[in-house]
């Protein structure tokens, strides 16, 4: 027996669930819904002014993208990785994205490379990047790393990096990558990676992407560890 109410399958509900999914995803990525914070259907329903049906669909998608998790006896909460889990995530990202850059150098078309440079031109006009405060990239086609993976023309990599892990990586990359001179340096590194891809230098593209992700990893982990220390529950440190 189907437990989903018939009205949950209508185009209107699906469209509403899509909108709420993107709004909640953006709130999580930007830190408006803090890591580890509890979220409830009544609270979200009131905040977004929608019924439980489309909200539940949006939350199912957030859970599938690893942005929220169900905790026994607690309910749903925004994902909060440990430093160890974050290190593992970036280890995977370094290995797979460097592979994607190598394949992109071998397979990206001139049109795709031109599109990649257009993305960087959009980024360069952003006020936060100009001020050196942050380097926020919108999801999908306006995300430099997303476009590189698409340019690899490898469907396995696309599934892993543009679907399975994409939103989780984007969350930590967005919230903890802006520090000191890192935003501007990351932008320069992006240009060098594109130069290598355009030159068809697969080995250099792979090396530059590996170094780029490694630098981001170190920056993110340092900032995240400091944030965890600031918000550590006193009860956890008591002997």
């Amino acid at each position: 027996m189907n437990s989903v109410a018939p009205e949950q399958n209508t185009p209107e509900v699906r469209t509403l669930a899509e909108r709420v999914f993107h709004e909640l995803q953006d709130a999580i990525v930007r830190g408006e819904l803090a890591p580890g914070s509890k979220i409830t259907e009544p609270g979200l329903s009131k905040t977004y002014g929608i019924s439980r049906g489309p909200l539940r669909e949006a939350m199912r998608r957030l859970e599938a993208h690893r942005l929220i998790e169900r905790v026994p006896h607690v309910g749903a909460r925004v994902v909060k990785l440990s430093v160890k889990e974050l290190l593992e995530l970036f280890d995977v990202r370094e290995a797979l994205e460097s592979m994607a850059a190598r394949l992109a150098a071998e397979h990206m078309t001139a049109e795709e490379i031109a599109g990649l440079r257009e993305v960087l031109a959009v980024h360069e006009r952003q006020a936060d990047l100009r001020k050196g405060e942050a380097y926020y990239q919108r999801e999908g086609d306006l995300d430099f790393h997303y476009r590189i993976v698409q340019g690899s023309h490898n469907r396995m990599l696309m599934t892993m990096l543009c679907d399975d892990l994409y939103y989780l990586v984007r969350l930590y990359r967005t919230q903890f990558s802006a520090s000191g001179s890192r935003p501007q340096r990351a932008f320069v590194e992006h240009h060098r990676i594109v130069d290598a891809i355009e030159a068809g230098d697969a080995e250099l593209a792979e090396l530059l992407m590996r170094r780029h992700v490694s630098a981001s990893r170190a920056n993110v982990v340092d900032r995240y560890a400091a944030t965890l220390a600031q918000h550590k529950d006193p009860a956890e440190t008591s002997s």
Side-chain angles (χ1 to χ4, degrees):
M1 183 176 178
N2 191 351
S3 60
V4 178
E7 64 271 15
Q8 291 186 31
N9 292 317
T10 65
E12 293 80 5
V13 170
R14 288 197 297 272
T15 300
L16 185 56
E18 180 79 9
R19 176 180 66 78
V20 175
F21 164 73
H22 285 290
E23 288 183 7
L24 288 173
Q25 178 215 163
D26 202 47
I28 291 172
V29 169
R30 287 183 176 274
E32 294 164 8
L33 290 174
S37 61
K38 184 178 179 180
I39 54 178
T40 65
E41 287 184 9
L44 292 177
S45 181
K46 182 178 180 180
T47 299
Y48 291 90
I50 60 170
S51 60
R52 298 288 184 86
L55 176 58
R56 285 172 182 162
E57 175 61 27
M59 290 182 68
R60 277 195 290 270
R61 288 189 61 188
L62 290 170
E63 187 173 10
H65 287 306
R66 299 178 172 88
L67 292 180
I68 66 172
E69 56 188 357
R70 307 280 179 175
V71 181
H73 312 299
V74 175
R77 69 177 185 181
V78 178
V79 67
K80 183 178 182 181
L81 297 184
S82 66
V83 172
K84 180 177 183 295
E85 290 169 327
L86 190 59
L87 284 168
E88 291 174 350
L89 178 64
F90 270 79
D91 284 344
V92 170
R93 185 186 164 204
E94 181 180 332
L96 297 183
E97 288 200 34
S98 60
M99 182 192 303
R102 173 170 57 81
L103 292 173
E106 296 172 353
H107 300 298
M108 276 189 96
T109 64
E111 183 180 359
E112 288 174 318
I113 293 171
L116 195 53
R117 292 204 182 277
E118 288 175 9
V119 167
L120 292 181
V122 170
H123 293 172
E124 191 171 19
R125 293 193 292 269
Q126 294 176 186
D128 58 356
L129 181 60
R130 286 184 174 184
K131 296 175 183 176
E133 297 173 347
Y135 188 175
Y136 178 75
Q137 300 180 57
R138 297 195 65 82
E139 66 180 286
D141 285 343
L142 287 176
D143 184 332
F144 174 81
H145 291 271
Y146 182 95
R147 293 288 284 262
I148 293 286
V149 176
Q150 292 289 318
S152 75
H153 294 198
N154 183 298
R155 294 208 170 273
M156 286 290 186
L157 280 177
M158 291 181 207
T159 297
M160 289 185 282
L161 293 175
C162 295
D163 189 4
D164 291 350
L165 296 175
Y166 179 70
Y167 293 94
L168 189 59
V169 168
R170 183 168 174 262
L171 187 163
Y172 285 93
R173 200 180 71 203
T174 300
Q175 287 191 19
F176 299 100
S177 63
S179 176
S181 61
R182 184 60 199 159
Q184 286 290 347
R185 284 192 291 114
F187 183 71
V188 171
E189 290 165 10
H190 283 178
H191 272 287
R192 289 174 178 165
I193 291 167
V194 179
D195 289 342
I197 290 173
E198 188 169 35
D201 192 332
E203 185 176 347
L204 180 59
E206 181 176 16
L207 175 63
L208 292 175
M209 181 63 83
R210 184 175 294 279
R211 288 177 176 174
H212 173 68
V213 176
S214 179
S216 176
R217 173 186 186 271
N219 192 68
V220 169
V221 169
D222 286 347
R223 292 200 68 210
Y224 187 51
T227 300
L228 287 181
Q230 289 173 4
H231 296 92
K232 196 173 184 66
D233 188 339
E236 296 179 13
T237 59
S238 61
S239 56

